[in-house]
Amino acid sequence: MSNYPAIDALAENGVSVWLDDLSRELLEGGDLKRLIAEKGVVGVTSNPTIFASALAKGDRYEEQVKGLVGAGADTERAVFEITTDDVRAACDMFAPLYESTGHLDGRVSLEVDPRLAHEYEKTIESARLLWQTVDRPNLMIKIPATVEGLPAIRDAIGDGISVNVTLIFSLERYRAVMEAFLEGLERAREKGLDLAEIQSVASFFVSRVDTEIDKRLTAIGTDEANALKGKAGIANARLAYQAYEEVFGTARWAALEDAGARAQRPLWASTGVKDPNYPDTMYVTELVASNTVNTMPGATLDAVADHGEITGDTVHGTYEEAAALLDRLDGLGISYDEVVDLLEVEGVEKFEKSWTELLATVTDELDRAKAQVEGN
């Protein structure tokens, strides 16, 4: 139980609340412990942008950076050490939740280098190295759902690595992600691995869909077009949940479940509202369904805790309406396939840019620490 009725209502409806933020300041300053205790946070996701911001703003990395300079570490090595240390510490902080939820939650996600998004071999190598280095059972490795990422997802699951599949925009790609998950579990079963210990979530991005489609609706400018603004992201996610129910309602899945496997949960990502005209909680309140995760930036979590209205399941019974909405967009000349393909390309580019910024930030910190050492 948290201190907030809306957060408790999400849990009661089968939604796990994860925080889309991680820094040493959160870890060591006590804020993350408070969020766990008071706001029902049961997991964390991280990304390069978050790490870069934490390094640039805080001073809690100074001693480690100095040590890395003394050890002769280059930027790539420093990034690896800093990020894996923070994630390991977060895994330890969430260990009690990991145990109390039967290993379902208490999860912390760490991303492979996004520059590898279109390289299968290097992605799976990176996933294995990160998994071994952090060495915590409640870790999840984030792998992007690119075409090249799909076999890496399959093989990571097959190795017993828990995976957070990221950057999913299209329903077709989501089905391919679930197929990779099932194939991975079947390989893990052949190896005799404990399927119950292999967890996965599929991160379906929401607000970015509205941002792109709203832009196109504005360009059309008719009353019909304007009436459809802010609805595509939620409709797309609801149809994703329909696909989830279909795939995890098959005899193939039942056989894996009988062997101890747990379903790959849909995770609603990009849930911070980009348009200030929209309710700041809508990507949470409108996507309430059992066995899901909602990973929220701090501002969205605060908004939900403060004034979120959770009315129960808001996904079941909406599939026909959601499909009709996408059909209406198509009728206006907005191509669903074109939009989701563009969003994936842009998503990878944004992740790569964030990684480059993280490298630059770490380089600056190393240079500063080196100058201090030499000055002394």
Side-chain angles (χ1 to χ4, degrees):
M1 297 288 289
S2 74
N3 294 347
Y4 299 90
I7 301 296
D8 291 340
L10 286 172
E12 289 162 7
N13 282 277
V15 180
S16 292
V17 173
W18 291 6
L19 178 70
D20 190 24
D21 194 6
L22 180 62
S23 69
R24 201 157 295 181
E25 181 65 33
L26 274 174
L27 287 163
E28 297 180 355
D31 288 343
L32 188 54
K33 280 187 177 179
R34 281 192 290 274
L35 290 173
I36 292 170
E38 298 174 9
K39 288 190 177 175
V41 170
V42 295
V44 159
T45 52
S46 65
N47 62 52
T49 301
I50 289 169
F51 280 122
S53 176
L55 275 156
K57 294 177 182 176
D59 58 4
R60 292 184 182 271
Y61 295 92
E62 284 185 7
E63 287 304 313
Q64 184 175 17
V65 171
K66 288 178 182 177
L68 289 165
V69 167
D74 62 10
T75 299
E76 297 274 354
R77 186 67 200 176
V79 167
F80 185 86
E81 294 290 342
I82 290 167
T83 56
T84 54
D85 280 1
D86 277 4
V87 167
R88 187 183 302 106
C91 284
D92 290 343
M93 186 174 289
F94 277 100
L97 265 168
Y98 172 70
E99 294 299 337
S100 67
T101 60
H103 300 183
L104 181 69
D105 283 313
R107 297 280 173 171
V108 183
S109 296
L110 176 60
E111 188 172 347
V112 298
D113 183 339
R115 296 173 299 177
L116 309 178
H118 298 295
E119 299 184 57
Y120 154 70
E121 289 286 357
K122 290 183 178 179
T123 293
I124 188 61
E125 287 172 10
S126 176
R128 288 166 176 157
L129 179 60
L130 291 170
W131 181 257
Q132 292 164 1
T133 301
V134 174
D135 193 26
R136 294 294 186 272
N138 51 333
L139 173 67
M140 280 187 161
I141 303 298
K142 289 176 77 173
I143 300 176
T146 58
V147 170
E148 298 84 358
L150 293 172
I153 294 161
R154 176 200 65 205
D155 290 353
I157 295 292
D159 286 348
I161 296 172
S162 293
V163 176
N164 176 342
V165 184
T166 189
L167 278 181
I168 308 173
F169 296 97
S170 84
L171 296 168
E172 180 182 5
R173 184 61 54 80
Y174 178 42
R175 287 184 179 275
V177 165
M178 290 188 284
E179 174 64 26
F181 173 68
L182 296 178
E183 288 181 8
L185 285 179
E186 287 162 349
R187 293 186 180 199
R189 181 177 57 188
E190 290 172 5
K191 295 176 183 177
L193 300 180
D194 184 356
L195 301 190
E197 293 304 308
I198 306 172
Q199 278 283 328
S200 184
V201 293
S203 296
F204 208 85
F205 281 51
V206 187
S207 68
R208 293 189 195 181
V209 174
D210 279 336
T211 299
E212 180 59 32
I213 288 182
D214 282 5
K215 182 170 64 176
R216 298 177 184 221
L217 290 169
T218 297
I220 294 170
T222 63
D223 290 344
E224 181 185 8
N226 289 328
L228 297 179
K229 287 182 180 178
K231 297 181 178 179
I234 290 169
N236 196 37
R238 286 171 170 172
L239 291 173
Y241 193 83
Q242 180 185 36
Y244 155 79
E245 289 190 308
E246 290 173 1
V247 170
F248 291 99
T250 61
R252 180 186 181 187
W253 167 246
L256 287 165
E257 189 174 35
D258 288 344
R262 298 185 185 189
Q264 181 186 58
R265 290 184 290 173
L267 179 152
W268 312 128
S270 183
T271 56
V273 173
K274 306 294 192 294
D275 188 329
N277 293 314
Y278 298 151
D280 53 3
T281 63
M282 74 177 196
Y283 296 125
V284 179
T285 60
E286 298 303 311
L287 292 173
V288 177
S290 62
N291 208 37
T292 60
V293 177
N294 197 305
T295 182
M296 310 177 200
T300 302
L301 175 64
D302 290 344
V304 172
D306 179 65
H307 54 265
E309 296 183 10
I310 309 303
T311 58
D313 188 319
T314 51
V315 173
H316 287 98
T318 67
Y319 303 149
E320 186 175 337
E321 179 185 355
L325 186 134
L326 295 188
D327 286 341
R328 289 176 67 189
L329 291 171
D330 185 67
L332 290 172
I334 296 175
S335 167
Y336 175 84
D337 290 340
E338 181 183 314
V339 168
V340 294
D341 287 350
L342 174 65
L343 289 172
E344 180 180 303
V345 170
E346 290 182 345
V348 171
E349 288 176 350
K350 287 177 181 178
F351 276 17
E352 289 176 346
K353 181 181 178 182
S354 295
W355 192 264
T356 300
E357 291 171 354
L358 174 58
L359 292 173
T361 301
V362 171
T363 298
D364 289 344
E365 294 298 316
L366 290 171
D367 289 345
R368 186 177 295 111
K370 187 176 181 180
Q372 290 175 352
V373 170
E374 291 174 348
N376 293 332

